[in-house]
Amino acid sequence: MINVLFLCLGNICRSPMAEAVFRHMIKEEGLEQNIIVDSAGIGDWHEGNPPHRGTQNILKKNQISFDGIVARQIKKQDKDDFHYIIAMDDQNIHDLNEMIPNMQGVIVRKLTDYVADESVMSVPDPYFTGDFDYTYELIKEGCRTFLEQIKQEIRKEG
């Protein structure tokens, strides 16, 4: 089983969008028995809340379920529970390392590491930009490429 955690600032826009998109892709590929996905935020401001209305709208528009997704803050236990932590920007990674030092054994990357356009350094936060469409497109591309990498891992192990 491969465990993936998507991470952003408040866990109501980008990381729950990535969780929902990735979960949808996993289901389409029939890999629900191989991959577990979750999301969290650096802060606890929105803990217990559903995704932002803009995130809900873009997911509904693309027929992607966000059932059961609620905001939570990242916790120390996550470094033991997840193989991958996929952050939305450099600040998320910096804050993660401040909150949970010694992330040995966890692969920490940015989602944009899986986006073809190397000039894109982070997934912009639509909470501030208002551009949920662009964020969705970046997340979809990054998740697709990341899933292809994981599928190769599963093939090697299987």
Side-chain angles (χ1 to χ4, degrees):
M1 190 63 83
I2 296 172
N3 298 333
V4 176
L5 181 71
F6 290 101
L7 180 69
C8 72
L9 184 60
N11 194 217
I12 59 166
C13 293
R14 298 173 292 172
S15 58
M17 187 185 297
E19 176 185 354
V21 167
F22 201 63
R23 186 179 290 155
H24 182 78
M25 290 176 178
I26 290 166
K27 187 174 183 181
E28 285 183 330
E29 297 278 344
L31 295 171
E32 302 101 311
Q33 304 304 314
N34 301 90
I35 305 168
I36 292 175
V37 62
D38 195 4
S39 64
I42 294 296
D44 65 354
W45 315 284
H46 304 290
E47 205 155 354
N49 291 337
H52 185 282
R53 183 171 309 284
T55 294
Q56 291 183 30
N57 290 341
I58 195 80
L59 292 171
K60 285 177 188 173
K61 179 175 147 184
N62 289 282
Q63 299 176 338
I64 296 173
S65 172
F66 52 89
D67 288 347
I69 297 177
V70 294
R72 73 172 182 88
Q73 185 177 30
I74 192 155
K75 55 189 183 285
K76 288 187 178 170
Q77 182 63 40
D78 289 330
K79 79 174 186 169
D80 298 322
D81 293 343
F82 291 93
H83 300 100
Y84 291 92
I85 297 180
I86 307 297
M88 299 298 135
D89 58 43
D90 288 322
Q91 188 64 50
N92 298 153
I93 292 174
H94 175 269
D95 293 342
L96 171 66
N97 288 322
E98 291 285 313
M99 294 172 75
I100 308 172
N102 188 8
M103 294 294 293
Q104 288 179 313
V106 181
I107 299 168
V108 178
R109 298 274 186 276
K110 286 190 301 184
L111 188 58
T112 52
D113 293 346
Y114 304 97
V115 171
D117 184 349
E118 293 179 12
S119 70
V120 178
M121 302 305 292
S122 66
V123 177
D125 192 342
Y127 186 85
F128 300 107
T129 68
D131 193 346
F132 286 86
D133 291 309
Y134 179 62
T135 296
Y136 173 78
E137 291 304 320
L138 275 179
I139 285 173
K140 185 173 77 170
E141 179 184 349
C143 283
R144 173 61 55 209
T145 303
F146 178 51
L147 182 57
E148 289 305 314
Q149 177 187 308
I150 288 180
K151 283 169 50 179
Q152 289 175 4
E153 261 184 61
I154 291 169
R155 278 188 219 110
K156 285 179 190 173
E157 292 173 5

